[in-house]
Amino acid sequence: MPAKILSGREISAEIKDELRARVARLKDQGVTPGLAMVRVGEDPASVSYMRQKEKTSAEVGVFSQTFVLPEQASQGELLQKIDALNRDDSFHGILVQLPLPRHIDPRAVIEAIDPLKDVDCFHPINVGKLLIGEPYLLPCTPHGVWQILLRSGYSPEGKHVVICGRSNLNGKPLFAILIQKKSGANATVTVCHTRTPNLADFTRRADILVAAMGVPRAITADMVREGAVVIDVGVNRVEDPSKKSGFRLVGDTDFDALVEVAEAITPVPGGVGPMTVTMLMWNTVVACETQTGLSGN
Ligand SMILES: NC(=O)c1ccc[n+]([C@@H]2O[C@H](COP(=O)([O-])OP(=O)(O)OC[C@H]3O[C@@H](n4cnc5c(N)ncnc54)[C@H](OP(=O)(O)O)[C@@H]3O)[C@@H](O)[C@H]2O)c1
């Protein structure tokens, strides 16, 4: 039987409904969750990602404002802007769109954000809290992966999860979420990377396989155990002359082949992708509730 398709679009719509209700209850108490987004320069991909974040903010009722600094703005100018936003009560969340121009150190920028307003969950304090099992917020894409699993009836509890990729953005925080001694987590987690010998020996042992490598269709059908649940985080552009744009998006898994082997799988696009921005809204609402002491539940 072909795999069940796990639609991130549908799950994300369900979560947005919940958030809309929570935001409405916060508004009834006189507070609107606010998200400040800062970009340096006009990188087209960043402009497009930020538009998506503005649109989703509007959908759930979060007040968002985008601040754009010129490409040649200094690190000091960016830090000054962050400092002003840290002190501005109308914003409960702050994000700085990455990548930044080369002359700016992203670490210094991330560390300048008030950890309470760090809705991307990149600040070392928040990363540390996550690792010791006392998270404040969860990083957006790994949290999206977890929500897809939980809301589709594939709890990682007691399962062997194999994650391909150990980036600070995806693999490592997903490991930190799933390894916790906590209901809905409690997984046995293996993390693989480019120095893992014989990757397939590991992937074939996964009950839940997460591909976050950034390599188009790297996970082939022979690398997956029959009945496994596959989550594809990858978003890769491959040439496609049949498309007007000349390219299309594919994941890190050979979706068409895996559909015949897996129990369930996320598509690309329409899988993990739509979850990421939704989880950013989740964090903005939690940050607002934490900073105001109000509850939208
Ligand atoms: N859906 C979303 O919302 C979303 C969000 C963020 C990213 N993404 C996508 O997710 C993918 C990964 O992003 P990222 O930022 O985590 O990438 P990254 O920083 O480049 O990290 C890739 C990881 O995969 C590992 N890797 C690469 N090739 C491998 C191979 N052949 N075998 C085993 N491991 C391999 C690398 O190992 P080493 O550490 O040894 O180099 C590294 O740990 C990209 O396609 C990106 O576009 C999607």
Side-chain angles (χ1 to χ4, degrees):
M1 216 172 49
K4 181 174 167 195
I5 307 300
L6 305 176
S7 167
R9 282 204 185 100
E10 282 171 21
I11 296 169
S12 136
E14 175 186 311
I15 295 173
K16 280 192 275 191
D17 282 345
E18 295 166 12
L19 290 174
R20 212 173 283 119
R22 229 158 122 183
V23 170
R25 282 190 286 269
L26 285 166
K27 285 183 177 171
D28 286 346
Q29 298 169 79
V31 172
T32 300
L35 172 64
M37 299 190 275
V38 185
R39 182 175 77 235
V40 182
E42 295 299 331
D43 171 61
S46 295
V47 172
S48 148
Y49 287 140
M50 290 180 88
R51 271 205 202 109
Q52 187 57 42
K53 290 170 188 174
E54 285 164 3
K55 190 173 151 256
T56 311
S57 299
E59 276 178 52
V60 299
V62 162
F63 162 67
S64 77
Q65 197 168 346
T66 299
F67 301 90
V68 184
L69 274 63
E71 176 82 25
Q72 62 279 12
S74 68
Q75 179 165 316
E77 284 170 305
L78 177 56
L79 294 181
Q80 254 178 14
K81 182 72 211 168
I82 293 171
D83 184 47
L85 293 170
N86 280 342
R87 285 184 281 108
D88 186 336
D89 287 346
S90 51
F91 296 113
H92 308 96
I94 301 171
L95 76 82
V96 177
Q97 187 66 42
L98 301 177
L100 289 163
R102 277 173 199 275
H103 63 276
I104 299 179
D105 171 15
R107 271 280 135 230
V109 171
I110 287 166
E111 288 178 26
I113 296 173
D114 179 346
L116 281 174
K117 297 191 177 188
D118 168 39
V119 280
D120 267 334
C121 196
F122 290 162
H123 194 290
I125 288 184
N126 288 326
V127 176
K129 280 174 171 272
L130 171 62
L131 193 62
I132 62 172
E134 293 169 16
Y136 164 46
L137 302 171
L138 296 177
C140 301
T141 304
H143 190 192
V145 169
W146 192 28
Q147 287 297 324
I148 289 177
L149 290 170
L150 292 174
R151 289 173 186 246
S152 309
Y154 297 111
S155 169
E157 289 258 2
K159 302 293 184 201
H160 181 204
V161 180
V162 176
I163 303 171
C164 297
R166 58 174 162 186
S167 72
N168 289 336
L169 188 63
N170 291 312
K172 279 187 212 160
L174 183 60
F175 160 81
I177 291 172
L178 300 183
I179 200 73
Q180 297 304 330
K181 191 167 186 173
K182 182 179 172 175
S183 170
N186 283 323
T188 302
V189 187
T190 300
V191 182
C192 302
H193 44 77
T194 56
R195 304 301 163 93
T196 302
N198 307 320
L199 183 64
D201 288 350
F202 294 87
T203 58
R204 273 193 220 108
R205 295 178 57 207
D207 300 312
I208 297 172
L209 178 62
V210 181
M213 305 148 84
V215 182
R217 302 191 194 95
I219 304 292
T220 49
D222 57 315
M223 296 171 78
V224 179
R225 190 178 60 73
E226 215 174 301
V229 173
V230 179
I231 307 289
D232 193 340
V233 178
V235 181
N236 309 290
R237 274 182 176 207
V238 293
E239 278 184 28
D240 184 346
S242 75
K243 298 272 175 195
K244 205 170 133 202
S245 60
F247 70 86
R248 70 192 167 101
L249 297 179
V250 299
D252 287 353
T253 68
D254 184 356
F255 180 86
D256 293 342
L258 262 61
V259 141
E260 303 301 329
V261 182
E263 150 93 18
I265 186 167
T266 58
V268 176
V272 176
M275 297 296 290
T276 298
V277 181
T278 299
M279 304 326 287
L280 176 69
M281 298 302 132
W282 176 310
N283 281 352
T284 305
V285 172
V286 173
C288 173
E289 290 173 340
T290 306
Q291 287 160 53
T292 59
L294 298 172
S295 169
N297 281 312

